[in-house]
Amino acid sequence: DAGVIQSPRHEVTEMGQEVTLRCKPISGHNSLFWYRQTMMRGLELLIYFNNNVPIDDSGMPEDRFSAKMPNASFSTLKIQPSEPRDSAVYFCASSFFQAGTDTQYFGPGTRLTVL
Amino acid sequence: AQSVSQHNHHVILSEAASLELGCNYSYGGTVNLFWYVQYPGQHLQLLLKYFSGDPLVKGIKGFEAEFIKSKFSFNLRKPSVQWSDTAEYFCAVRGTYKYIFGTGTRLKVLA
């Protein structure tokens, strides 16, 4: 299995621009998670999908952030407009949720720099 | 509230030294516990996990962890570290569906 795939691996953009991060979960997994990692705040859960439905988006920092999962094999995290404080590494993780014994597998991350 | 505490933020060891990283959790239900490792510039990788059964769990690369329910702890151990173990280590507890991660411990192994 190829594991969780994220693109792009690096993104540099200017303040105010729209940024779209992409994630392909492991085939067969039914849960998908978006995390943000910064030095100051560590690893933060942004949003969680189960069977393509957003279950918990309480970690999404503000309305500038949105996430979609149109099907079981693809998810996007969009930031519009982007700000310098959004600079971080964004990880996608997936798991097969079954009776509370799932294990999350992380993608390689997207390093976002907003100038 | 669910929480995970990793008390050691930075650890420096010489090669061949023994390692123990502390992890304490707070969660009222059945716990699933994990240790992940993040090598410099890379993503989180699963080291080991505990769901039930033998409280001493063996993972990859010679790591092990012991679940002590009475102490709400899940400490990570390795008898002899190598330079290649330099990384950041995260403990996590799984709640209803969320993973609650600790703040991480940065390990530096001196050659």
Side-chain angles (χ1 to χ4, degrees), chain B:
Chain B
Q2 302 162 13
S3 65
V4 174
S5 296
Q6 292 182 244
H7 307 295
N8 313 103
H9 298 295
H10 297 273
V11 174
I12 301 175
L13 294 172
S14 297
E15 272 194 317
S18 64
L19 170 72
E20 180 160 3
L21 301 182
C23 173
N24 288 92
Y25 65 90
S26 172
Y27 181 64
T30 302
V31 289
N32 297 152
L33 295 158
F34 306 83
W35 276 98
Y36 283 84
V37 60
Q38 187 176 28
Y39 298 103
Q42 296 190 28
H43 63 288
L44 276 76
Q45 301 172 42
L46 182 68
L47 263 183
L48 47 81
K49 60 186 177 183
Y50 172 80
F51 287 159
S52 63
D54 189 344
L56 185 61
V57 180
K58 295 195 182 297
I60 61 171
K61 305 187 180 186
F63 286 90
E64 65 178 31
E66 186 174 12
F67 170 55
I68 303 180
K69 188 175 181 179
S70 61
K71 295 185 178 180
F72 299 92
S73 70
F74 190 56
N75 292 354
L76 181 71
R77 299 195 293 248
K78 186 171 184 178
S80 176
V81 295
Q82 300 173 315
W83 177 81
S84 57
D85 293 325
T86 294
E88 189 161 15
Y89 293 80
F90 293 89
C91 181
V93 62
R94 183 189 178 284
T96 307
Y97 54 81
K98 283 183 180 181
Y99 280 33
I100 309 300
F101 282 87
T103 51
T105 297
R106 288 181 182 267
L107 171 66
K108 185 176 178 65
V109 180
L110 304 176

Side-chain angles (χ1 to χ4, degrees), chain A residues 31-36 44-50 52-61 65-69 75-78 91-93 104, chain B residues 97-98:
Chain A
S31 295
L32 185 139
F33 306 79
W34 280 101
Y35 291 88
R36 178 172 66 177
E44 304 173 274
L45 177 65
L46 300 177
I47 188 167
Y48 159 62
F49 291 88
N50 182 256
N52 313 336
V53 176
I55 303 299
D56 184 349
D57 65 354
S58 60
M60 296 286 263
F65 285 69
S66 63
K68 294 182 179 179
M69 192 165 185
S75 177
T76 60
L77 177 67
K78 187 177 291 186
F91 289 105
C92 176
Q104 289 188 24
Chain B
Y97 54 81
K98 283 183 180 181

Side-chain angles (χ1 to χ4, degrees), chain A residues 62-89:
Chain A
E62 48 198 272
D63 292 346
R64 297 184 298 106
F65 285 69
S66 63
K68 294 182 179 179
M69 192 165 185
N71 57 60
S73 59
F74 184 65
S75 177
T76 60
L77 177 67
K78 187 177 291 186
I79 309 173
Q80 165 64 19
S82 58
E83 296 183 3
R85 60 192 168 120
D86 301 330
S87 297
V89 181

